[in-house]
Amino acid sequence: MHLQRRLAGKKLQRLQVLKAAKPAVSPARLKKALEGRKLTKVYREGKELRLAFDNGHILGLHMMLRGKLEWMEGEKPPAYGLLLLDFEGGQRLLLQDYQRKARIELDPEGSEVPDALSKAANTAFWKKLLQTKATIKNLLLDQQAVRGIGSAYADEILYQARISPFSVSNKIPPDKVKALATAVKKVLKNAIQHIRKAAPDIIGGELRDFLVVHNARKKKSPGGKAIKVRSTGGRKTYYTQEQQLYT
DNA sequence: TGGCATGTTGGCGA
DNA sequence: CTCGCCAACATGCC
Protein backbone atom coordinates (compact mmCIF):
# COMPACT_ATOMS: atom_id res chain seq x y z
CA MET A 1 0.00 0.00 0.00
CA HIS A 2 1.08 3.46 -0.88
CA LEU A 3 0.70 5.02 2.58
CA GLN A 4 2.77 2.23 4.04
CA ARG A 5 5.54 2.90 1.50
CA ARG A 6 5.48 6.63 2.07
CA LEU A 7 5.09 6.77 5.82
CA ALA A 8 6.18 3.57 7.54
CA GLY A 9 9.19 4.13 9.77
CA LYS A 10 8.49 7.88 9.97
CA LYS A 11 7.83 9.68 13.20
CA LEU A 12 4.50 11.44 13.73
CA GLN A 13 5.69 14.88 14.73
CA ARG A 14 2.35 16.54 15.24
CA LEU A 15 -1.30 15.52 15.40
CA GLN A 16 -4.05 18.12 15.09
CA VAL A 17 -7.75 17.47 15.53
CA LEU A 18 -9.30 20.14 13.30
CA LYS A 19 -12.41 22.26 13.69
CA ALA A 20 -14.83 20.12 11.69
CA ALA A 21 -14.07 16.98 13.68
CA LYS A 22 -16.59 15.57 16.12
CA PRO A 23 -14.10 13.52 18.08
CA ALA A 24 -15.11 10.42 19.99
CA VAL A 25 -11.64 10.47 21.50
CA SER A 26 -10.33 13.64 23.09
CA PRO A 27 -7.66 15.44 21.08
CA ALA A 28 -5.47 15.43 24.18
CA ARG A 29 -5.62 11.64 24.42
CA LEU A 30 -4.80 11.22 20.76
CA LYS A 31 -1.84 13.59 21.00
CA LYS A 32 -0.51 11.94 24.12
CA ALA A 33 -0.78 8.45 22.67
CA LEU A 34 0.61 9.14 19.21
CA GLU A 35 2.73 12.28 18.93
CA GLY A 36 6.43 11.58 18.71
CA ARG A 37 5.85 7.89 17.96
CA LYS A 38 7.07 6.06 14.91
CA LEU A 39 4.50 4.67 12.48
CA THR A 40 5.20 0.98 12.01
CA LYS A 41 2.41 -0.31 9.80
CA VAL A 42 -0.57 0.80 7.71
CA TYR A 43 -3.26 -1.74 6.94
CA ARG A 44 -6.97 -2.34 6.34
CA GLU A 45 -9.44 -4.03 8.70
CA GLY A 46 -12.91 -4.39 7.26
CA LYS A 47 -13.69 -0.88 6.08
CA GLU A 48 -11.23 0.76 8.46
CA LEU A 49 -7.76 2.02 7.80
CA ARG A 50 -5.37 1.37 10.65
CA LEU A 51 -2.10 3.05 11.51
CA ALA A 52 -0.01 1.18 14.07
CA PHE A 53 2.68 2.94 16.09
CA ASP A 54 5.80 1.68 17.82
CA ASN A 55 4.32 2.02 21.31
CA GLY A 56 1.49 -0.38 20.47
CA HIS A 57 -1.18 2.27 19.97
CA ILE A 58 -3.34 2.09 16.86
CA LEU A 59 -5.13 4.90 15.09
CA GLY A 60 -8.29 3.68 13.33
CA LEU A 61 -9.85 5.77 10.55
CA HIS A 62 -13.23 4.98 9.04
CA MET A 63 -14.05 7.06 5.94
CA MET A 64 -17.78 6.37 6.10
CA LEU A 65 -19.44 7.53 2.86
CA ARG A 66 -17.45 10.63 1.92
CA GLY A 67 -14.30 10.74 4.05
CA LYS A 68 -11.12 11.31 2.10
CA LEU A 69 -7.40 11.26 2.69
CA GLU A 70 -5.04 13.56 0.87
CA TRP A 71 -1.63 15.12 1.13
CA MET A 72 -2.11 18.54 2.68
CA GLU A 73 -1.04 21.43 0.52
CA GLY A 74 -0.81 25.04 1.55
CA GLU A 75 -0.99 26.38 5.07
CA LYS A 76 -4.65 26.51 5.91
CA PRO A 77 -6.61 23.28 6.28
CA PRO A 78 -9.92 23.22 4.36
CA ALA A 79 -13.24 23.86 6.13
CA TYR A 80 -14.00 20.17 6.31
CA GLY A 81 -10.64 19.03 7.59
CA LEU A 82 -10.94 16.60 10.50
CA LEU A 83 -7.43 15.45 11.28
CA LEU A 84 -3.95 16.50 10.22
CA LEU A 85 -0.92 14.30 10.74
CA ASP A 86 2.56 15.79 10.25
CA PHE A 87 5.21 13.16 9.65
CA GLU A 88 8.95 13.63 9.66
CA GLY A 89 10.17 14.45 6.19
CA GLY A 90 7.44 17.07 5.79
CA GLN A 91 4.63 14.80 4.67
CA ARG A 92 1.27 16.02 5.91
CA LEU A 93 -1.64 13.59 5.80
CA LEU A 94 -5.07 15.20 5.92
CA LEU A 95 -8.40 13.52 6.65
CA GLN A 96 -11.40 15.49 5.47
CA ASP A 97 -15.12 14.86 5.19
CA TYR A 98 -17.75 17.42 4.29
CA GLN A 99 -20.35 15.27 6.00
CA ARG A 100 -18.13 15.19 9.09
CA LYS A 101 -19.04 11.55 9.54
CA ALA A 102 -15.61 9.96 9.18
CA ARG A 103 -14.62 8.29 12.44
CA ILE A 104 -11.36 8.63 14.30
CA GLU A 105 -10.66 5.93 16.86
CA LEU A 106 -7.82 5.19 19.22
CA ASP A 107 -7.06 1.50 19.73
CA PRO A 108 -10.19 0.11 18.04
CA GLU A 109 -11.50 -3.10 19.51
CA GLY A 110 -10.63 -6.32 17.79
CA SER A 111 -13.55 -7.99 16.05
CA GLU A 112 -14.55 -11.64 15.86
CA VAL A 113 -16.27 -10.97 12.57
CA PRO A 114 -14.00 -12.09 9.73
CA ASP A 115 -12.84 -9.75 7.00
CA ALA A 116 -14.12 -10.88 3.60
CA LEU A 117 -10.58 -11.47 2.38
CA SER A 118 -9.36 -13.29 5.48
CA LYS A 119 -8.61 -17.01 5.58
CA ALA A 120 -11.48 -17.46 8.02
CA ALA A 121 -13.97 -16.41 5.34
CA ASN A 122 -13.90 -19.81 3.59
CA THR A 123 -16.72 -21.81 2.02
CA ALA A 124 -17.65 -23.41 5.35
CA PHE A 125 -17.96 -19.96 6.88
CA TRP A 126 -20.27 -18.81 4.09
CA LYS A 127 -22.42 -21.96 4.37
CA LYS A 128 -23.00 -21.24 8.02
CA LEU A 129 -23.54 -17.53 7.48
CA LEU A 130 -26.22 -18.14 4.86
CA GLN A 131 -28.46 -20.04 7.29
CA THR A 132 -30.76 -17.06 7.55
CA LYS A 133 -33.85 -15.68 5.85
CA ALA A 134 -32.20 -12.34 5.15
CA THR A 135 -31.83 -11.46 1.49
CA ILE A 136 -28.33 -12.16 0.26
CA LYS A 137 -27.32 -8.61 -0.58
CA ASN A 138 -28.35 -7.34 2.84
CA LEU A 139 -26.35 -10.15 4.41
CA LEU A 140 -23.24 -9.25 2.41
CA LEU A 141 -23.58 -5.64 3.57
CA ASP A 142 -24.00 -6.57 7.24
CA GLN A 143 -20.70 -5.73 8.92
CA GLN A 144 -21.75 -7.82 11.95
CA ALA A 145 -21.79 -10.84 9.62
CA VAL A 146 -18.75 -10.27 7.43
CA ARG A 147 -16.57 -7.18 7.22
CA GLY A 148 -15.42 -5.14 4.27
CA ILE A 149 -18.12 -5.46 1.60
CA GLY A 150 -20.12 -2.39 0.53
CA SER A 151 -23.03 -1.89 -1.82
CA ALA A 152 -21.07 -1.64 -5.07
CA TYR A 153 -18.90 -4.69 -4.44
CA ALA A 154 -21.88 -6.70 -3.18
CA ASP A 155 -23.50 -6.17 -6.60
CA GLU A 156 -20.28 -7.12 -8.40
CA ILE A 157 -19.84 -10.26 -6.29
CA LEU A 158 -23.44 -11.40 -6.83
CA TYR A 159 -23.14 -10.82 -10.55
CA GLN A 160 -19.91 -12.81 -10.66
CA ALA A 161 -21.61 -15.67 -8.76
CA ARG A 162 -24.78 -15.31 -10.91
CA ILE A 163 -26.98 -15.06 -7.83
CA SER A 164 -29.83 -12.55 -7.68
CA PRO A 165 -29.30 -9.96 -4.92
CA PHE A 166 -32.90 -10.56 -3.82
CA SER A 167 -32.38 -14.26 -3.15
CA VAL A 168 -33.24 -15.58 0.30
CA SER A 169 -29.91 -16.64 1.79
CA ASN A 170 -30.96 -20.05 3.11
CA LYS A 171 -32.51 -21.03 -0.24
CA ILE A 172 -29.24 -20.73 -2.12
CA PRO A 173 -27.99 -24.26 -2.99
CA PRO A 174 -24.58 -25.48 -1.74
CA ASP A 175 -22.80 -25.29 -5.10
CA LYS A 176 -23.92 -21.69 -5.45
CA VAL A 177 -22.68 -20.87 -1.96
CA LYS A 178 -19.32 -22.19 -3.07
CA ALA A 179 -19.47 -19.98 -6.15
CA LEU A 180 -20.27 -17.04 -3.89
CA ALA A 181 -17.29 -17.74 -1.63
CA THR A 182 -15.05 -17.84 -4.69
CA ALA A 183 -16.58 -14.69 -6.19
CA VAL A 184 -15.99 -12.71 -2.97
CA LYS A 185 -12.25 -13.31 -3.12
CA LYS A 186 -12.01 -12.92 -6.86
CA VAL A 187 -13.90 -9.63 -7.13
CA LEU A 188 -12.16 -8.00 -4.16
CA LYS A 189 -8.67 -9.14 -5.16
CA ASN A 190 -9.22 -8.04 -8.76
CA ALA A 191 -10.37 -4.64 -7.55
CA ILE A 192 -7.27 -4.16 -5.39
CA GLN A 193 -5.04 -5.26 -8.23
CA HIS A 194 -6.78 -3.03 -10.74
CA ILE A 195 -6.66 0.06 -8.51
CA ARG A 196 -3.00 -0.57 -7.67
CA LYS A 197 -2.15 -0.69 -11.33
CA ALA A 198 -4.35 2.19 -12.49
CA ALA A 199 -3.58 4.54 -9.59
CA PRO A 200 -0.53 3.37 -7.64
CA ASP A 201 -0.31 6.65 -5.72
CA ILE A 202 -3.95 6.86 -4.69
CA ILE A 203 -4.60 7.53 -0.99
CA GLY A 204 -8.10 9.00 -1.15
CA GLY A 205 -10.87 9.29 -3.68
CA GLU A 206 -12.29 6.33 -5.44
CA LEU A 207 -12.04 4.38 -8.65
CA ARG A 208 -15.12 2.65 -9.92
CA ASP A 209 -14.84 2.66 -13.70
CA PHE A 210 -14.02 -1.06 -13.80
CA LEU A 211 -17.18 -2.20 -12.02
CA VAL A 212 -19.19 -4.25 -14.52
CA VAL A 213 -22.75 -3.91 -13.20
CA HIS A 214 -22.79 -1.37 -10.34
CA ASN A 215 -22.27 1.56 -12.64
CA ALA A 216 -24.98 4.06 -13.53
CA ARG A 217 -23.46 4.61 -16.99
CA LYS A 218 -23.38 0.97 -18.07
CA LYS A 219 -26.44 -0.38 -19.86
CA LYS A 220 -25.31 -3.97 -20.46
CA SER A 221 -23.50 -6.63 -18.48
CA PRO A 222 -20.41 -8.39 -19.94
CA GLY A 223 -22.85 -11.13 -20.99
CA GLY A 224 -24.78 -8.57 -23.07
CA LYS A 225 -27.90 -8.49 -20.87
CA ALA A 226 -29.63 -5.30 -19.77
CA ILE A 227 -28.59 -4.05 -16.35
CA LYS A 228 -31.58 -3.48 -14.11
CA VAL A 229 -31.67 -1.07 -11.17
CA ARG A 230 -33.81 -1.29 -8.08
CA SER A 231 -33.81 1.00 -5.07
CA THR A 232 -33.83 -0.86 -1.80
CA GLY A 233 -32.94 0.27 1.66
CA GLY A 234 -32.17 3.74 0.33
CA ARG A 235 -29.48 2.39 -1.96
CA LYS A 236 -29.43 1.16 -5.53
CA THR A 237 -28.94 -2.41 -6.53
CA TYR A 238 -27.69 -3.20 -10.03
CA TYR A 239 -28.32 -6.69 -11.41
CA THR A 240 -29.29 -8.63 -14.53
CA GLN A 241 -31.50 -11.56 -15.49
CA GLU A 242 -28.39 -13.72 -15.73
CA GLN A 243 -28.53 -13.98 -11.94
CA GLN A 244 -30.64 -16.78 -10.51
CA LEU A 245 -33.28 -15.85 -7.96
CA TYR A 246 -33.71 -18.33 -5.08
CA THR A 247 -36.76 -17.88 -2.86
C1' DT B 1 -29.28 20.47 -14.53
C1' DG B 2 -29.88 17.35 -10.92
C1' DG B 3 -29.56 12.60 -9.83
C1' DC B 4 -26.63 9.88 -7.81
C1' DA B 5 -22.80 8.26 -4.74
C1' DT B 6 -17.25 2.11 -1.65
C1' DG B 7 -21.71 3.86 4.98
C1' DT B 8 -23.67 3.64 9.64
C1' DT B 9 -27.07 4.09 13.09
C1' DG B 10 -31.36 3.87 15.43
C1' DG B 11 -36.26 3.61 15.27
C1' DC B 12 -40.34 1.74 13.49
C1' DG B 13 -43.48 -1.71 11.66
C1' DA B 14 -44.63 -6.25 9.58
C1' DC C 1 -36.99 -12.12 17.63
C1' DT C 2 -35.82 -11.25 12.59
C1' DC C 3 -35.83 -8.61 8.86
C1' DG C 4 -36.51 -4.52 5.71
C1' DC C 5 -36.88 0.23 5.20
C1' DC C 6 -36.20 5.07 6.11
C1' DA C 7 -33.92 9.47 7.39
C1' DA C 8 -29.96 11.96 8.57
C1' DC C 9 -25.41 13.65 6.97
C1' DA C 10 -25.16 18.13 2.77
C1' DT C 11 -20.64 18.11 -1.45
C1' DG C 12 -18.68 16.67 -5.86
C1' DC C 13 -19.10 14.57 -10.05
C1' DC C 14 -20.65 13.62 -14.86
Side-chain angles (χ1 to χ4, degrees):
Chain A
M1 164 174 309
H2 187 60
L3 279 175
Q4 166 89 13
R5 277 203 318 272
R6 287 279 294 266
L7 296 179
K10 300 254 159 71
K11 195 188 276 183
L12 175 63
Q13 289 172 326
R14 187 171 182 212
L15 178 153
Q16 295 172 75
V17 176
L18 304 174
K19 266 209 314 279
K22 291 188 276 190
V25 199
S26 79
R29 253 187 80 205
L30 281 170
K31 274 178 171 293
K32 186 156 185 245
L34 305 178
E35 272 187 346
R37 311 309 314 204
K38 195 186 279 182
L39 178 68
T40 53
K41 199 176 160 196
V42 183
Y43 58 102
R44 181 189 65 83
E45 266 289 322
K47 295 182 182 176
E48 258 186 34
L49 183 68
R50 297 201 172 170
L51 289 80
F53 290 84
D54 64 356
N55 58 352
H57 280 303
I58 294 171
L59 178 65
L61 303 177
H62 194 306
M63 301 301 152
M64 301 296 281
L65 202 49
R66 298 285 104 185
K68 210 168 167 186
L69 284 175
E70 55 183 55
W71 299 113
M72 166 93 175
E73 289 175 14
E75 283 308 302
K76 223 180 139 187
Y80 288 103
L82 304 190
L83 184 72
L84 181 57
L85 304 174
D86 287 338
F87 286 91
E88 75 185 321
Q91 302 183 92
R92 316 187 77 198
L93 187 63
L94 173 72
L95 170 66
Q96 57 177 330
D97 182 359
Y98 62 79
Q99 292 188 329
R100 303 166 66 203
K101 288 274 200 171
R103 280 200 319 238
I104 301 163
E105 280 183 283
L106 183 61
D107 302 328
E109 302 223 344
S111 171
E112 299 300 305
V113 179
D115 183 278
L117 277 180
S118 68
K119 264 207 157 127
N122 55 22
T123 302
F125 163 81
W126 286 104
K127 288 206 163 134
K128 201 161 179 187
L129 195 67
L130 265 62
Q131 300 306 309
T132 164
K133 287 195 283 190
T135 58
I136 186 64
K137 180 169 179 184
N138 288 343
L139 186 63
L140 290 178
L141 296 183
D142 184 355
Q143 303 300 301
Q144 317 297 325
V146 57
R147 289 183 301 150
I149 302 173
S151 181
Y153 285 113
D155 288 354
E156 296 297 308
I157 288 163
L158 291 168
Y159 176 74
Q160 177 76 37
R162 299 295 190 272
I163 297 169
S164 163
F166 308 107
S167 295
V168 176
S169 297
N170 63 13
K171 304 289 186 188
I172 298 173
D175 63 314
K176 278 300 211 176
V177 178
K178 191 152 186 272
L180 177 68
T182 307
V184 167
K185 309 276 185 197
K186 187 171 171 193
V187 167
L188 297 180
K189 282 183 183 165
N190 278 352
I192 291 170
Q193 211 172 37
H194 178 95
I195 292 169
R196 246 183 216 152
K197 198 167 172 203
D201 293 341
I202 197 169
I203 60 167
E206 45 190 56
L207 215 53
R208 295 196 301 242
D209 54 353
F210 60 93
L211 302 179
V212 302
V213 289
H214 191 102
N215 187 331
R217 315 204 153 267
K218 291 227 164 91
K219 295 275 175 272
K220 302 237 157 143
S221 74
K225 302 295 182 198
I227 294 171
K228 298 189 266 192
V229 191
R230 199 198 293 184
S231 285
T232 141
R235 212 120 314 246
K236 302 232 158 176
T237 292
Y238 296 80
Y239 64 107
T240 80
Q241 63 174 54
E242 298 153 279
Q243 295 163 255
Q244 179 74 42
L245 177 63
Y246 303 97
T247 53

